[in-house]
Amino acid sequence: MPRIAETRHLKWSPEQMFDLVADVKRYAEFLPWVVATRIRSDNGHEMIADMMVGFNALREKFTSRVTKDRPNEADVGAIMVDYLDGPMKTLSNSWHFAPDEGGGCRIDFVCEFTFRNALFEKLAGQYLDRAFRKMVTAFETRAARLYGADAAIGAVSGGKSSSSATSAA
């Protein structure tokens, strides 16, 4: 099963990064391969969302349940995404947003998935790390646009990371 795990240390607050990730309706504006999103329901804590992704002529729709637990000064915030329907066999990801020791935010992200189609899974395994890097860069670029490239909090002056990407392919 392909798996991605990443820890990022960013200069923006946990609340800002939580808001950016939770704003699913805007993903098509900045995430590569996201063609459109539709929010079916959102009560503030739980959202059901469709996301259309595409590459060249290939288009697929995913439906997920997104559970949101907003961070506050004392607690870590979280966004948990559970797959409901689409071309995957399984898909789950989690985001945890915590204050970083030097200011800013520590984000822990984990994504695990399997495709119904073994060929897609093999192809995904070959491009997993490269595709993930594009997505990370897109989120960080969006944060800089929304919150300011120089809006450092405390001593954090950019993004640091540690990550791993594995594939069963």
Side-chain angles (χ1 to χ4, degrees), residues 1-3 113 115 118-131 165-169:
M1 171 186 300
R3 179 180 195 276
F113 60 92
F115 283 92
L119 177 61
F120 280 174
E121 182 136 348
K122 186 171 180 120
L123 287 170
Q126 292 176 357
Y127 298 101
L128 180 63
D129 190 61
R130 192 173 340 157
T166 58
S167 172

Side-chain angles (χ1 to χ4, degrees), residues 38-41 46-50 63-66 84:
R38 181 180 69 151
I39 308 304
R40 292 186 186 189
S41 65
E46 182 180 277
M47 172 193 317
I48 304 296
D50 296 329
T63 302
S64 298
R65 174 180 293 111
V66 181
L84 299 176

Side-chain angles (χ1 to χ4, degrees), residues 102-125:
C105 178
R106 186 189 80 240
I107 300 174
D108 296 307
F109 174 77
V110 175
C111 179
E112 296 179 313
F113 60 92
T114 55
F115 283 92
R116 294 184 202 279
N117 181 314
L119 177 61
F120 280 174
E121 182 136 348
K122 186 171 180 120
L123 287 170

Side-chain angles (χ1 to χ4, degrees), residues 33 35 52-60 120:
W33 310 295
V35 176
M52 178 74 69
V53 296
F55 183 75
N56 293 330
L58 181 64
R59 299 268 194 265
E60 293 289 350
F120 280 174

Side-chain angles (χ1 to χ4, degrees), residues 16-38:
Q16 288 172 314
M17 294 309 298
F18 175 91
D19 289 343
L20 189 152
V21 173
D23 194 9
V24 173
K25 69 181 175 283
R26 301 264 188 238
Y27 280 10
E29 295 175 16
F30 68 96
L31 283 178
W33 310 295
V34 176
V35 176
T37 57
R38 181 180 69 151

Side-chain angles (χ1 to χ4, degrees), residues 31-105:
L31 283 178
W33 310 295
V34 176
V35 176
T37 57
R38 181 180 69 151
I39 308 304
R40 292 186 186 189
S41 65
D42 187 356
N43 66 15
H45 177 68
E46 182 180 277
M47 172 193 317
I48 304 296
D50 296 329
M51 184 165 49
M52 178 74 69
V53 296
F55 183 75
N56 293 330
L58 181 64
R59 299 268 194 265
E60 293 289 350
K61 182 179 86 169
F62 299 78
T63 302
S64 298
R65 174 180 293 111
V66 181
T67 306
K68 302 175 285 183
D69 185 17
R70 187 168 183 75
N72 61 43
E73 290 185 27
D75 285 330
V76 173
I79 295 177
M80 310 298 285
V81 180
D82 296 306
Y83 179 72
L84 299 176
D85 189 39
M88 311 291 285
K89 185 175 181 183
T90 64
L91 171 66
S92 67
N93 64 60
S94 64
W95 302 77
H96 291 88
F97 308 87
D100 208 0
E101 290 177 15
C105 178

